[in-house]
Amino acid sequence: MTSKEMTVPAAEGQREIPAVTRDDMKKVWRRSYHYYLSWGLERQANTGFLYCILPVLKKLYGEGTEDLKEAMKRHLDMFACHIAFCTFIMGIVCSMEEKNAREKDFDPELIRNVKVALMGPLSGIGDSFFYGPIRTIAIGIGTTMMLAGNPLGILVYIAIYFAPIMVVKWNGLWLGWKAGAGFLDKMQRTGLMDKAVHGAGIMGMMAIGCMTCTMAKTNLSVMIGSGETAKTLQSIMDGIMPNCVILGVVWLLFYLVKKKNISPLLLVFIVLAACILLAFIGIV
């Protein structure tokens, strides 16, 4: 009997399912390099994430089954995480999906909660570390060599920037998979799961707040007052609270998505049209 044919013996209240092996997880790792090839504005890398873990889902639930369809729908929710840390979440999710397939009373909603709780903080760490000092150092060394006439500069850039990502991706997958079920069981028994999800949610909101402040800007050019004392509306609002205008815009968009169920894709076009109109009449 090969490792791919092994099954997990069913205890009381459990189902007998195929065992997820290292070969299965290696498929997930290989597919993770295509994770960001499928990306959309509305749900970002959700289909890429599903593509990566699909071999494990098919093995656990079977081809064409209703359970497989439900699992695939579960992973079509919005997902975005830095490519270096995405495999850690994939490893945990595969471990949790195996637990869900085996145990009849497992709540699959917990899988969604863990994904949402982890992707925000890990994205913030990955973006800050790899897009910040690592890429800056790599570009600095690589371009210096290239300007000096050394064509190996491009290879040095690739080695400095991508080697750490590959190391984190490889080890993160196994860490998430091996520690996943046991770690989550322990957290549930001790009551730490709710605290961890809550804490990770706070970190995720902090990361979103930082991204809102640094990546989105408004410029209300309407002048208030006259003569030398005249100030733009933007400067007045920033004097009350820096970036409060863009914060209000983000809150409004969140309200429209969450409460009014307006499609994020439709909101993209609405914001684009509003910006063109406001620029035309001289407000921005």
Side-chain angles (χ1 to χ4, degrees), residues 12-26:
E12 185 177 353
Q14 296 183 348
R15 307 180 186 93
E16 185 175 301
I17 62 169
V20 177
T21 64
R22 286 183 63 88
D23 288 341
D24 298 318
M25 297 307 297
K26 286 179 180 178

Side-chain angles (χ1 to χ4, degrees), residues 1 18 29 52 56 98 111 120 161 173 178 219 228 245 248 257 272 276-277:
M1 178 180 291
W29 177 72
C52 294
V56 171
E98 186 174 7
I111 302 175
Y161 181 57
L173 177 69
K178 292 178 180 178
N219 182 26
E228 296 181 356
V245 177
V257 171
L272 180 62
I276 294 173
L277 177 62

Side-chain angles (χ1 to χ4, degrees), residues 27-268:
K27 293 179 182 178
V28 175
W29 177 72
R30 287 193 293 268
R31 287 185 171 217
S32 70
Y33 286 93
H34 307 288
Y35 155 69
Y36 246 23
L37 294 182
S38 176
W39 196 93
L41 290 173
E42 185 173 359
R43 299 192 180 184
Q44 301 195 20
N46 63 331
T47 53
F49 185 92
L50 174 59
Y51 170 78
C52 294
I53 67 170
L54 192 56
V56 171
L57 296 181
K58 287 183 177 180
K59 184 171 186 178
L60 291 173
Y61 299 110
E63 293 274 1
T65 63
E66 289 300 319
D67 288 338
L68 176 61
K69 294 176 183 178
E70 288 300 318
M72 293 176 68
K73 290 179 183 178
R74 183 159 57 243
H75 294 291
L76 286 177
D77 293 339
M78 195 281 287
F79 183 84
C81 185
H82 190 277
I83 192 171
F85 290 98
C86 66
T87 53
F88 176 72
I89 301 179
M90 291 174 189
I92 290 181
V93 166
C94 288
S95 182
M96 295 183 72
E97 287 288 358
E98 186 174 7
K99 188 178 179 65
N100 179 59
R102 183 174 65 249
E103 298 182 3
K104 298 178 181 179
D105 58 348
F106 186 84
D107 183 9
E109 193 64 27
L110 183 60
I111 302 175
R112 279 194 176 101
N113 294 340
V114 169
K115 281 179 62 180
V116 172
L118 289 177
M119 68 179 181
L122 292 180
S123 291
I125 295 172
D127 291 348
S128 301
F129 185 71
F130 289 102
Y131 292 156
I134 295 296
R135 185 165 64 176
T136 302
I137 293 171
I139 291 175
I141 297 175
T143 52
T144 300
M145 294 178 65
M146 292 291 289
L147 290 172
N150 190 343
L152 294 179
I154 185 64
L155 298 179
V156 171
Y157 164 76
I158 292 173
I160 294 176
Y161 181 57
F162 288 101
I165 292 178
M166 295 177 67
V167 171
V168 173
K169 281 171 62 71
W170 174 258
N171 289 282
L173 177 69
W174 303 114
L175 178 63
W177 181 51
K178 292 178 180 178
F183 177 69
L184 293 171
D185 282 342
K186 184 176 180 180
M187 292 186 70
Q188 283 181 301
R189 290 195 303 268
T190 58
L192 291 176
M193 175 58 73
D194 291 337
K195 295 180 180 179
V197 171
H198 181 68
I202 293 174
M203 292 183 63
M205 291 297 102
M206 291 175 63
I208 292 174
C210 293
M211 292 174 64
T212 299
C213 180
T214 57
M215 300 179 66
K217 298 292 182 182
T218 57
N219 182 26
L220 302 179
S221 58
V222 177
M223 301 300 295
I224 305 296
S226 59
E228 296 181 356
T229 61
K231 293 183 178 180
T232 63
L233 179 58
Q234 183 69 50
S235 64
I236 295 174
M237 298 302 294
D238 286 341
I240 298 173
M241 187 178 79
N243 298 298
C244 64
V245 177
I246 191 60
L247 179 62
V249 173
V250 171
W251 278 350
L252 174 62
L253 295 176
F254 178 79
Y255 171 78
L256 293 175
V257 171
K258 192 73 174 179
K259 300 297 184 181
K260 300 300 182 180
N261 296 319
I262 299 178
S263 168
L265 187 61
L266 176 60
L267 287 177
V268 169

